[in-house]
Amino acid sequence: MQGLFETSNPILVKEALSLVGFPVGGVRLPLVDATPEQSARLASIMREVGVLD
């Protein structure tokens, strides 16, 4: 749960949904999409807890 909120909501929530295959699209301004580093860290956490293969 902490991994989803390392930055402003809903940036990483949308990224997590995208990583598991839900085409949710990007965030609206003034927010920006997750950085590659944030996405990689989130994917690592998701693999660790068994949500992502």
Side-chain angles (χ1 to χ4, degrees):
M1 192 61 143
Q2 289 177 337
L4 291 175
F5 299 102
E6 290 182 355
T7 189
S8 298
N9 189 29
I11 295 170
L12 293 180
V13 173
K14 285 189 150 209
E15 184 66 20
L17 288 168
S18 178
L19 287 170
V20 295
F22 288 95
V24 293
V27 295
R28 293 186 294 173
L29 292 174
L31 300 175
V32 294
D33 290 330
T35 65
E37 293 82 13
Q38 290 170 326
S39 182
R41 173 146 168 71
L42 181 60
S44 173
I45 291 169
M46 291 172 69
R47 279 189 210 91
E48 185 178 313
V49 299
V51 176
L52 191 62
D53 294 329

